[in-house]
């Protein structure tokens, strides 16, 4: 390299140092001062990692004095360069700018500047950048965005509900699916779509205290949404930063009790300016017109000031019609303002639903049924459909007509837009429950310890004594001390060891009420029989629970048994197992249903064995009989269980506390009768039209199929591995569809988005991710991919490259220039711009004459014909054709304008077609169905006006370029 004092050079390895000046030379070294960053570097003259900076005619350069020069001539003298040209602020005056007076702040951000300055990227980085732009564009345009990346099975009815609701502006709906149908997953998918679309930036989830951890884990593990649990302690900590603790996090999770008990925290939550409120277990919100409960008032206050509201309940009418109306009233108080009116309106739905059910079963409708439908839909709309259904048309045409009729009726249906309810009966696909009630002799040790406990129990309440009697092992341990081992003689433990040994090839889930019981059971299995078991309880951290669940899920070498405390019946999905042992029983039928729901879920492929070992002549036997004969709660789902329990709980508690069974037969028969009556009422009250709409039918199946088709996308795997390589992550193949990704010492940046400092195990396979919760499920929507792409773009990786094309049909030295522009609109994310005009790449492939060959020369196939070039040779090639490259970029600038205009036009048409269609539909419906909110219409009109403006102002810029030179060897 030839150096001279005063020359300007740029560092190849530390590009952020700015423009450097040679300030000292000797025989072996050169010293370069980087004034902008106040750094000096001493390099060996023979191989200094620096590139000479010489600008070209036509470039605009900045002086140290702050003015800019448009270069007209470049003069070199004794190794130094001077630039002749005109000042930007005075085009009439010709000036000379010596290179020593160039601004130290000059950065080479434009791709062409980097190319000329010798800051040339590796060819594979250019390819990765282009693929990132293309994939990002395709993801934003996908109608399934927000539904593909969650760690969940592709269950059609869940996807349909989420797709239907997640695309709305500020959705306000009640998700009322039965237990085990996945309301939490539906809510998560809706939240995820709202977040990705920019419609929800601040989210508040309010749940019963016992479900906080479940929601935290579900949101994080399934959707990569990191919520913060807020309690009084957290709020006090946050007050050090701000007056309102809720301002410190965007995604907040708290219990309803927390807000109910503290007026101050409730008022602070009201001021939180949330975009979306989610309330689980909404059936606990009791309401009477004269006296709403405090819980109801809390949610009502939040719902009034929050645009989007999701209410979740498995039993929408459990607390009666009034409370059901009250929950709808939370969603739209203008629409649901009077309970009596609501009841009158509801009476009209049943006959219509019956007519629709008849259509579905292929029956011909009588005139009365047709008239009922005709009252809701105009005659001209329904007559052609009736004709098709009554004709000899083929089955597919009839199916289309049926679906159109359903869709139209749902739009006009009273609660069709605010209430979604899927039932097991309508969805189907559930396993059979095989119940094994196993009475066992009570050990004498328990009889003694419980008798002594009763004598010295003092003034214990019936409820406390009932709980003590349900768990005799605790009473025994209390008296005998920690050294004693109840599990040495308990007949349930002996049976459990035999059963596990007999089922060696099966995974067995054991649930006990207490963490201490779970821990001692694990010890019993290990010490008595050497059985591989692991525990899962509330005193473990989330990471420890994940490890336990993963050990249980592991097929080879994993635990055969997972022993959970009651928390194991919350949220986790262990449906790869079909063996459930209830070592004891919870006192609450809802908890019992939650326990069974860990295995009895949609997606479970096998029938479930439910084992209930209980000690004869104890409280356990009483409760087991009541659950079984009074509620049929083991063999069937029990949506009415809580109502029956509330009526008979006092009598049951007295019985469990005393051990007396007199009157048990009567309680069982009364419970069974009430349960049958309540179930019958629920069945009669079923809104079949609503259920048909909620499960989505063929539309739901089509959504599931389109997402399934994108699973196993090899393009994603290839891209992700290249991305991790480029950023500098280490990758270790673990087999079983798993990779371990860890940060390395040579990373492009100090930390990688979404990756813990100690690394993560990842999989691209949905089924693997579903059975292994310790793995990250990598999709295009995962933060590690999205964050990696953002990093790639912001760090300028791959913006300028040089490649060789070995092609004997072309003369040696032929030049081609590949230019990649991107078009984007500067608009707020929440405007919805990404749906119509996401960042859009435009590729030009120019030959030496400026012809665009991009239509004939496809990127991937062409790329396979190219070879990389070493950096020094690449710099020499660039220097030899710099003027020609300069000219081709100017040609490209003119050619791209036309393409940008057509992109703007296409985005505009797509936007207006899409939003106007929705607007017209809602305006037409509003005349018939007052359930359409005015603010929905106003928002759509405003959105059209705003988007027109944003799209018209969309700009383009050159993002990256690749110079290609033909060679023959």
């Amino acid at each position: 390299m030839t150096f001279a004092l005063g020359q300007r050079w740029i560092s190849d390895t530390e590009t952020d140092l700015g423009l450097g000046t040679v300030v000292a030379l000797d025989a072996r070294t050169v010293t370069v001062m980087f004034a902008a960053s106040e750094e000096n570097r001493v390099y060996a003259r023979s191989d200094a990692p620096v590139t000479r900076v010489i600008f070209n005619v036509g470039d605009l350069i900045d002086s140290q004095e702050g003015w800019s020069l448009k270069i007209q001539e470049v003069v070199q003298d004794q190794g130094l360069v001077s630039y002749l040209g005109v000042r930007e602020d005075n085009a009439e005056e010709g000036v000379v700018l010596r290179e020593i007076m160039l601004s130290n702040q000059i950065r080479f951000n434009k791709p062409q500047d980097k190319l000329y300055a010798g800051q040339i990227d590796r060819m594979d980085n250019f390819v990765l950048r282009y693929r990132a732009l293309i994939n990002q564009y395709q993801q934003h345009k996908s109608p399934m965005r927000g539904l593909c990346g969650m760690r969940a099975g592709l269950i059609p009815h869940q996807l349909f509900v989420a797709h239907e609701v997640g695309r709305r502006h500020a959705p306000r709906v009640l998700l009322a699916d039965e237990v085990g149908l996945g309301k939490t997953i539906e809510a998560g998918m809706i939240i995820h779509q709202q977040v990705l679309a920019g419609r929800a930036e601040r989210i508040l989830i309010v749940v019963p205290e016992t479900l906080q951890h479940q929601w935290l884990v579900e949101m994080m593990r399934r959707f990569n949404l990191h919520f913060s649990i807020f309690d009084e302690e957290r709020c006090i900590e946050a007050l050090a930063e701000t007056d309102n603790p809720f301002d410190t996090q965007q995604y907040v999770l708290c219990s309803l009790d927390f807000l109910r008990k503290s007026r101050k925290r409730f008022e602070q939550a009201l001021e939180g300016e949330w975009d979306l409120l989610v309330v689980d277990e909404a059936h606990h919100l009791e309401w009477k017109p004269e006296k709403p409960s405090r819980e109801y008032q809390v949610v009502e206050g939040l719902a009034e000031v929050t645009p989007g509201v999701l209410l979740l309940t498995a039993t929408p009418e459990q607390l009666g019609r009034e409370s059901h109306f009250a929950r709808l009233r939370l969603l739209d108080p203008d629409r649901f303002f009077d309970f009596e009116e609501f009841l009158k309106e509801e009476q009209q739905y049943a006959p219509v639903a019956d007519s629709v059910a008849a259509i579905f079963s292929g029956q011909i409708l009588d005139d009365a049924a047709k008239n009922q439908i005709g009252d809701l839909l105009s005659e001209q709309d329904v007559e052609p459909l009736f004709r098709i259904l009554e004709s000899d048309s083929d089955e597919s045409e009839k199916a289309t007509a049926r679906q159109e009729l359903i869709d139209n009726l749902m739009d006009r249906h009273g609660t069709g837009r605010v209430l979604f309810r899927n039932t097991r009966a309508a969805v189907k696909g559930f396993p059979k429950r095989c119940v094994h009630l196993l009475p066992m002799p009570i050990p004498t040790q328990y009889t003694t310890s419980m008798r002594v406990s009763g004598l010295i129990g003092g003034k214990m309440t019936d409820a406390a004594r009932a709980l003590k009697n349900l768990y005799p092992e605790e009473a025994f341990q209390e008296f005998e001390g920690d050294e004693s081992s109840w599990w040495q003689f308990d007949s349930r433990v002996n049976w459990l060891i035999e059963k596990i040994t007999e089922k060696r090839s099966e995974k067995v889930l054991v649930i006990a009420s207490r963490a201490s019981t779970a821990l001692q059971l694990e010890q019993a299995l290990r010490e008595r029989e050497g059985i591989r078991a692991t525990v899962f309880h509330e005193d473990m951290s989330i990471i420890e629970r994940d490890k336990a669940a993963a050990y249980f899920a592991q097929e080879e070498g994993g635990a055969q048994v997972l022993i959970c405390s009651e928390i194991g019946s919350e949220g986790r999905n262990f449906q790869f197992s079909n063996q459930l042992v209830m070592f004891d029983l919870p006192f609450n039928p809802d908890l019992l249903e939650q326990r069974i729901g860990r295995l009895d879920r949609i997606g479970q492929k096998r029938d479930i064995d439910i084992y209930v070992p209980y000690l004869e002549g104890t409280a356990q036997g009483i409760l087991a009989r009541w659950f079984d004969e009074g509620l049929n709660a083991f063999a069937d789902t029990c949506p009415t269980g809580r109502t029956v329990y509330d009526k008979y709980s006092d009598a049951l508690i007295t019985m469990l506390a005393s051990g007396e069974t007199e009157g048990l037969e009567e309680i069982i028969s009364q419970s069974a009768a009430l349960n049958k009556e309540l179930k019958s009422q629920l069945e009669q009250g079923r809104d079949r039209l609503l259920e048909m709409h909620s499960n989505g039918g063929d539309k739901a199946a089509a959504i599931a199929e389109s997402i399934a088709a994108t699973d196993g996308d090899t393009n994603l795997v290839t891209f992700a591995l290249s991305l991790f390589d480029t950023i500098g992550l280490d990758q270790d193949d673990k087999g079983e569809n798993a990779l371990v990704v860890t940060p390395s010492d040579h990373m492009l940046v100090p930390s990688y988005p979404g990756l813990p400092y100690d690394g993560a195990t990842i999989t691209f396979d949905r089924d693997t991710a579903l059975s292994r919760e310790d793995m990250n499920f990598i999709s295009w929507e995962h933060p590690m991919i999205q964050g990696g792409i953002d990093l790639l773009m912001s760090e300028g990786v791959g913006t300028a490259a040089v490649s060789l094309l070995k092609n004997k049909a072309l003369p040696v030295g032929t030049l081609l220039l590949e230019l990649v522009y991107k078009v984007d609109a500067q608009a707020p994310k929440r405007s919805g711009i990404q749906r119509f005009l996401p960042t859009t790449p435009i590729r030009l492939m120019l030959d030496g004459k400026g012809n665009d060959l991009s239509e004939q020369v496809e990127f991937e196939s062409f790329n396979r014909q190219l070879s990389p070039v070493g950096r020094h040779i690449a710099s020499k090639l660039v220097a030899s054709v710099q003027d020609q490259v300069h000219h081709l970029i100017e040609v490209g600038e003119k050619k791209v304008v036309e393409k940008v205009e057509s992109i703007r036009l296409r985005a505009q048409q797509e936007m207006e077609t899409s939003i106007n269609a929705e607007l017209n539909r809602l305006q037409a419906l509003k005349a018939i169905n007052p359930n359409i909110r005015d603010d929905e219409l106003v928002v759509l009109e405003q959105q059209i006006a705003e988007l027109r403006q944003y799209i018209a102002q969309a700009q383009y810029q050159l993002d990256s370029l690749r110079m290609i030179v033909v060679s023959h060897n």
Side-chain angles (χ1 to χ4, degrees), residues 104-142:
N104 300 312
Q105 310 291 336
I106 286 176
R107 290 276 196 280
F108 296 93
N109 296 328
K110 290 181 181 174
Q112 60 268 47
D113 291 345
K114 291 180 80 170
L115 187 77
Y116 303 149
Q119 290 184 316
I120 296 167
D121 289 290
R122 290 164 46 135
M123 178 178 123
D124 54 357
N125 285 355
F126 171 83
V127 173
L128 183 68
R129 186 180 186 89
Y130 180 68
R131 286 176 181 158
L133 280 168
I134 290 289
N135 286 317
Q136 203 174 35
Y137 170 75
Q138 287 168 346
Q139 292 311 307
H140 279 298
K141 292 293 283 181
S142 168

Side-chain angles (χ1 to χ4, degrees), residues 276-488:
L276 185 62
L277 167 70
V278 182
V279 183
D280 196 7
E281 302 284 318
H283 48 271
H284 294 314
L285 305 175
E286 295 188 44
W287 177 84
K288 292 273 185 294
E290 63 284 356
K291 192 171 187 287
S293 66
R294 177 66 186 145
E295 289 87 348
Y296 185 91
Q297 290 173 329
V298 165
V299 173
E300 184 177 33
L302 289 166
E304 277 175 4
V305 295
T306 308
V309 180
L310 303 181
L311 303 180
L312 282 70
T313 173
T315 46
E317 298 172 14
Q318 189 181 56
L319 296 173
R321 309 295 294 143
E322 276 193 348
S323 285
H324 178 45
F325 165 75
R327 284 188 288 279
L328 295 173
R329 182 177 165 275
L330 287 173
L331 298 171
D332 193 348
D334 296 335
R335 166 77 182 84
F336 299 101
F337 62 92
D338 183 87
F339 180 53
E340 296 305 322
E341 283 295 318
F342 172 68
L343 290 179
K344 272 187 218 163
E345 198 176 315
E346 277 217 316
Q347 287 166 5
Q348 299 167 17
Y349 308 152
V352 175
D354 290 342
S355 302
V356 172
I359 292 172
F360 261 90
S361 59
Q363 297 172 26
I364 300 296
L365 294 182
D366 59 27
D367 289 341
K370 285 183 188 175
N371 289 338
Q372 277 167 344
I373 292 175
D375 287 342
L376 279 178
L377 304 174
S378 70
E379 206 169 300
Q380 65 197 42
D381 287 341
V382 294
E383 271 307 316
L385 298 176
F386 286 146
R387 276 201 296 277
I388 292 170
L389 293 173
E390 292 169 8
S391 71
D392 297 329
S393 303
D394 66 51
E395 196 45 47
S396 66
E397 202 176 341
K398 286 186 176 181
T400 306
R402 281 190 204 109
Q403 195 56 51
E404 192 177 333
L405 202 53
I406 289 287
D407 290 345
N408 288 336
L409 280 168
M410 280 315 302
D411 268 341
R412 290 149 176 80
H413 185 277
T415 55
R417 280 181 57 77
V418 292
L419 177 60
F420 289 82
R421 176 155 177 79
N422 280 295
T423 60
R424 287 173 173 242
V427 169
K428 300 187 172 50
F430 283 88
K432 182 183 168 195
R433 296 179 180 184
C434 307
V435 183
H436 311 273
L437 291 178
L438 306 161
M440 296 183 181
I442 182 168
T444 54
Q445 292 93 324
Y446 283 166
T447 315
T448 307
S449 61
M450 286 168 75
R451 189 168 63 247
V452 174
S453 170
L455 291 173
I456 64 171
K459 294 182 179 177
M460 198 183 284
T461 64
D462 274 0
R465 196 178 297 280
L467 284 174
K468 210 171 190 71
N469 289 347
L470 280 174
Y471 312 112
E473 64 276 7
E474 287 192 351
F476 175 80
Q477 202 76 34
E478 213 171 282
F479 288 104
E480 299 295 329
D482 291 342
E483 297 305 308
S484 62
S485 300
W486 57 269
W487 45 265
Q488 297 284 15

Side-chain angles (χ1 to χ4, degrees), residues 8-21:
R8 309 309 294 268
W9 295 71
I10 191 159
S11 167
D12 296 343
T13 52
E14 300 174 281
T15 53
D16 56 342
L17 291 176
L19 202 55
T21 308

Side-chain angles (χ1 to χ4, degrees), residues 437-725:
L437 291 178
L438 306 161
M440 296 183 181
I442 182 168
T444 54
Q445 292 93 324
Y446 283 166
T447 315
T448 307
S449 61
M450 286 168 75
R451 189 168 63 247
V452 174
S453 170
L455 291 173
I456 64 171
K459 294 182 179 177
M460 198 183 284
T461 64
D462 274 0
R465 196 178 297 280
L467 284 174
K468 210 171 190 71
N469 289 347
L470 280 174
Y471 312 112
E473 64 276 7
E474 287 192 351
F476 175 80
Q477 202 76 34
E478 213 171 282
F479 288 104
E480 299 295 329
D482 291 342
E483 297 305 308
S484 62
S485 300
W486 57 269
W487 45 265
Q488 297 284 15
F489 58 77
D490 192 312
S491 47
R492 294 171 298 169
V493 178
N494 299 336
W495 167 84
L496 180 61
I497 288 172
E498 279 177 34
K499 178 55 66 180
I500 291 167
T501 311
E502 176 195 317
K503 299 266 184 186
R504 278 284 183 205
S505 61
E506 294 283 2
K507 299 278 188 183
V508 181
L509 177 64
V510 180
I511 301 184
S513 292
R514 308 286 204 270
S516 56
T517 310
L519 287 162
Q520 288 166 317
L521 275 177
E522 188 276 332
Q523 185 185 353
L525 299 187
R526 180 168 28 88
E527 290 187 13
R528 286 183 55 182
E529 202 62 38
I531 292 166
R532 276 202 310 272
T534 185
V535 287
F536 188 102
H537 57 82
E538 57 270 28
D539 297 327
M540 296 163 71
S541 69
I542 290 180
I543 291 171
E544 288 169 331
R545 293 179 208 186
D546 278 350
K547 283 182 177 169
Y551 182 37
F552 182 47
Q554 204 173 310
E555 284 182 30
E556 286 182 31
Q560 185 195 351
V561 183
L562 178 65
I563 309 166
C564 295
S565 66
E566 200 68 72
I567 198 169
S569 66
E570 290 180 2
R572 294 280 174 154
N573 175 358
F574 299 117
Q575 67 187 41
F576 51 82
S577 164
N578 73 330
Q579 302 289 306
L580 175 64
V581 175
M582 300 222 196
F583 188 77
D584 53 32
L585 290 170
F587 191 39
N588 178 331
D590 287 353
L591 282 178
L592 183 77
E593 188 58 51
Q594 279 186 1
R595 284 187 179 193
I596 300 172
R598 295 312 99 220
L599 306 191
D600 181 10
R601 305 173 76 80
I602 188 125
Q604 170 66 264
K605 303 288 191 295
R606 301 179 292 168
D607 290 343
I608 296 167
D609 282 315
I610 301 171
Y611 300 97
V612 188
Y614 63 89
L615 300 173
E616 289 179 294
T618 68
Q620 292 179 355
I622 295 170
L623 193 56
R625 277 198 63 198
W626 182 71
F627 276 144
D628 185 43
E629 298 168 41
L631 294 181
N632 194 29
F634 295 117
D636 201 1
T637 54
C638 194
T640 50
R642 186 62 191 242
T643 312
V644 180
Y645 166 81
D646 287 343
K647 179 155 187 181
Y648 294 106
S649 58
D650 290 346
L652 272 171
I653 286 169
T654 304
M655 214 171 273
L656 294 171
S658 66
E660 293 296 326
T661 56
E662 190 181 336
L664 178 60
E665 298 299 333
E666 191 179 346
I667 286 180
I668 286 175
S669 67
Q670 287 178 1
S671 297
L674 178 58
N675 193 40
K676 187 178 176 184
E677 183 190 336
L678 289 170
K679 278 193 166 179
S680 169
Q681 286 173 11
L682 274 180
E683 184 62 25
Q684 286 168 7
R686 271 176 65 196
D687 188 335
R688 284 173 185 76
L689 182 57
L690 182 66
E691 287 173 22
M692 288 170 196
H693 170 66
S694 296
N695 74 43
D698 293 342
K699 203 185 285 184
I703 293 171
E705 281 166 22
S706 74
I707 295 172
T710 66
D711 278 1
D713 181 0
T714 52
N715 177 25
L716 168 63
V717 180
T718 311
F719 177 80
L721 300 185
S722 300
L723 178 64
F724 298 158
D725 267 342

